[in-house]
Amino acid sequence: MIVTIVGTGLIGGSLAISLRTKSVATHIIGVDHNEDNLKKAQELGIIDEGATLEAAMQRSTVVILAIPVDGLLKVLPAILDNAGPQQVIMDVGSTKEKILALVAGHPHRGRFVAAHPMAGTEYSGPEAAIPNLFTNKTMVLCDVKNSDEDAVEIVEDMVDKLQMRLVYMNAEEHDLHTAYVSHISHITSFALALTVLQKEKEHGRIFELASGGFESTVRLAKSSPDMWVPIFKHNRHNVLDVLDEHIHQLQQMKDLLENEDYDAFYKLIQKSNKIRKILK
């Protein structure tokens, strides 16, 4: 099977590696507006060749869109315009409501499968692509009832060979849940990094004490704004809802410290420990 991957960075590149090693793709074509990324992906053996989108689509069974969600909204309708009756167009974007609303009435809507692999790192670019990024991770498929059955089956088979868990959701449900488990983690990490960077200006030796706990908490702040600003933009209402609750929890902790109510603070941390039931 010939697969085209549009966007040869962390997610697209890691998918290419996995699709090759799991014998899903016999040939991988890369498409990227960044010529340096395309050249690097080919040098690293992530893709077999680079091509224009138009040329790649003429030869591919599956076209995977691994670009920021702003870019998806710009290119997806035109890609569906040119999709063949047996071709599968699949995205791996982190938000879904606006994307699916955009193509809801498209005559080739059935050839599109909206997917989101719950995997990644804080790094970007072809050099960040790694093997087995998706192994034992979750792939969310959204609104599959609006996709053609054969298109969904091709994607499901791909996900199975990548050794991923499959979850089905509607777009609204997906965007709400990812705001809670992914988007808030990133925006909190960005804010924490800004806090520490500001304090470091005043007290220059802070980073001498940075260790594993700090690194694991703030590592997501290394993530690319090119990817994350569009996500926050397109999932704005859910992210704001989560932020309101997060700010409420921070304010509660601040109030307890100001009032020196350590018994209540203890109980609050005890309550937070229930997260162990979710994250084992």
Side-chain angles (χ1 to χ4, degrees):
M1 181 167 71
I2 298 177
V3 175
T4 286
I5 296 184
V6 182
T8 55
L10 166 66
I11 298 298
S14 297
L15 266 173
I17 293 169
S18 295
L19 291 173
R20 189 192 308 283
T21 57
K22 305 292 185 183
S23 301
V24 178
T26 55
H27 191 81
I28 298 174
I29 304 171
V31 176
D32 203 306
H33 73 277
N34 185 320
E35 287 296 327
D36 290 337
N37 278 358
L38 204 58
K39 182 180 178 183
K40 178 61 71 173
Q42 199 162 357
E43 288 174 354
L44 293 171
I46 292 171
I47 59 174
D48 295 301
E49 61 173 300
T52 65
L53 179 59
E54 293 73 19
M57 282 193 66
Q58 291 175 8
R59 299 165 53 199
S60 303
T61 303
V62 176
V63 177
I64 301 174
L65 306 177
I67 57 178
V69 288
D70 267 358
L72 275 171
L73 290 170
K74 291 176 183 176
V75 304
L76 182 56
I79 288 173
L80 282 180
D81 288 344
N82 297 306
Q86 305 302 316
Q87 205 165 37
V88 178
I89 312 299
M90 170 188 173
D91 86 304
V92 290
S94 297
T95 64
K96 288 290 179 271
E97 282 189 82
K98 289 193 175 183
I99 292 167
L100 287 168
L102 177 68
V103 299
H106 196 285
H108 297 161
R109 166 65 182 86
R111 303 317 303 165
F112 177 56
V113 179
H116 180 200
M118 301 299 294
T121 73
E122 63 271 32
Y123 301 108
S124 58
E127 299 92 337
I130 54 175
N132 302 315
L133 177 65
F134 305 102
T135 304
N136 298 323
K137 300 298 195 304
T138 297
M139 178 75 85
V140 185
L141 300 186
C142 291
D143 291 357
V144 294
K145 65 184 185 299
N146 296 321
S147 301
D148 293 343
E149 186 175 344
D150 68 299
V152 175
E153 286 175 355
I154 288 171
V155 172
E156 287 174 332
D157 182 61
M158 183 190 304
V159 172
D160 182 60
K161 288 175 179 174
L162 290 175
Q163 297 174 273
M164 300 184 73
R165 297 183 293 270
L166 260 173
V167 172
Y168 301 87
M169 291 183 175
N170 62 46
E172 182 179 356
E173 189 180 21
H174 167 273
D175 286 6
L176 175 64
H177 289 307
T178 52
Y180 273 94
V181 301
S182 174
H183 304 170
I184 189 63
S185 301
H186 282 80
I187 206 166
T188 301
S189 191
F190 293 136
L192 179 58
L194 290 170
T195 301
V196 175
L197 287 167
Q198 182 60 41
K199 286 298 180 183
E200 197 266 344
K201 290 180 183 178
E202 302 167 16
H203 308 283
R205 302 188 66 184
I206 286 177
F207 291 118
E208 292 181 36
L209 304 181
S211 60
F214 175 78
E215 185 178 355
S216 64
T217 305
V218 83
R219 70 174 181 83
L220 295 177
K222 301 174 189 175
S223 301
S224 169
D226 293 327
M227 175 180 176
W228 280 97
V229 171
I231 291 171
F232 296 144
K233 174 183 173 182
H234 292 296
N235 204 20
R236 175 178 169 273
H237 63 293
N238 285 320
V239 173
L240 283 172
D241 178 59
V242 182
L243 270 176
D244 283 341
E245 178 58 35
H246 187 50
I247 291 167
H248 166 72
Q249 295 296 338
L250 288 172
Q251 186 63 52
Q252 187 176 10
M253 290 182 169
K254 182 173 182 287
D255 291 344
L256 291 174
L257 275 177
E258 285 180 342
N259 296 326
E260 298 189 75
D261 190 346
Y262 301 116
D263 288 339
F265 211 138
Y266 184 93
K267 290 174 182 176
L268 204 60
I269 293 174
Q270 264 191 329
K271 185 178 179 181
S272 77
N273 290 162
K274 292 179 181 178
I275 199 73
R276 293 171 182 157
K277 295 179 180 178
I278 300 171
L279 302 176
K280 298 178 181 178

